[in-house]
Amino acid sequence: MDRIIDEKRAMYKSIVSVFCPILDETVYFTSDGFQHLLYKSNRKPRKLSERYMKLMSLEHAKTVITSCTFVSQSRIVRRKIKGTLRDVVRHELVHEVKQGVQIRVVVEKIGTGKAHFLSVMPHNRRSKPQPKKHLGRRL
């Protein structure tokens, strides 16, 4: 897994920024975006399977941002940044990268600042958490 992380980190650093026509903004690829692929917002490591899924989807992020014609969702969330609550706008961009494979990219904009990449994942039912099955015995 370490080899994959190193390869994807090098690829991620090479991107720097990409123009997104649907948002009419340049999206920057910051270190926070790559950290978010590996760790949850509370800095706890993601599950190995979740890390792998996000890292494998990363190669499509640039394509989704430049080619997206559909914003799946836009929402405003309040987040504590450097000790103060700030309004953060999150856009979910969805694009079909190949037949039957849709990828979702989350782009975040803090206040009036620059838009930056936050996350990437497959946009299908399998990528969403499934309810846990009850493992108890029936009598």
Side-chain angles (χ1 to χ4, degrees):
M1 186 68 176
D2 290 339
R3 183 182 57 80
I4 293 172
I5 292 172
D6 292 341
E7 287 174 10
K8 296 300 180 178
R9 181 177 281 125
M11 190 264 306
Y12 184 87
K13 284 182 177 181
S14 72
I15 300 173
V16 182
S17 66
V18 174
F19 183 74
C20 179
I22 191 103
L23 298 178
D24 196 29
E25 286 194 70
T26 300
V27 176
Y28 293 88
F29 285 73
T30 63
S31 60
D32 290 338
F34 193 80
Q35 283 299 107
H36 189 74
L37 299 176
L38 304 176
Y39 299 92
K40 296 179 183 178
S41 56
N42 57 3
R43 297 296 181 211
K44 287 187 178 180
R46 293 187 185 278
K47 292 179 185 176
L48 199 58
S49 60
E50 193 175 355
R51 283 182 173 200
Y52 183 79
M53 175 192 66
K54 288 181 178 289
L55 289 172
M56 291 297 110
S57 300
L58 184 59
E59 66 189 59
H60 302 295
K62 187 175 175 180
T63 306
V64 172
I65 292 170
T66 58
S67 305
C68 180
T69 57
F70 175 65
V71 177
S72 168
Q73 185 179 55
S74 291
R75 64 178 181 244
I76 298 174
V77 294
R78 303 270 294 160
R79 202 174 89 188
K80 201 172 205 176
I81 300 169
K82 295 183 181 176
T84 57
L85 279 175
R86 303 280 309 265
D87 283 339
V88 177
V89 179
R90 288 189 180 158
H91 302 285
E92 291 184 2
L93 311 175
V94 178
H95 183 69
E96 189 170 36
V97 292
K98 53 185 167 183
Q99 184 67 36
V101 178
Q102 289 184 327
I103 300 291
R104 177 177 31 184
V105 172
V106 180
V107 175
E108 184 177 73
K109 185 174 180 178
I110 301 168
T112 58
K114 298 176 180 178
H116 65 271
F117 168 87
L118 182 65
S119 190
V120 63
M121 65 211 79
H123 183 71
N124 58 22
R125 287 191 179 102
R126 286 186 193 166
S127 67
K128 295 181 182 168
Q130 300 297 318
K132 292 185 179 179
K133 294 179 181 174
H134 182 54
L135 300 176
R137 282 197 262 174
R138 295 180 103 183
L139 297 175

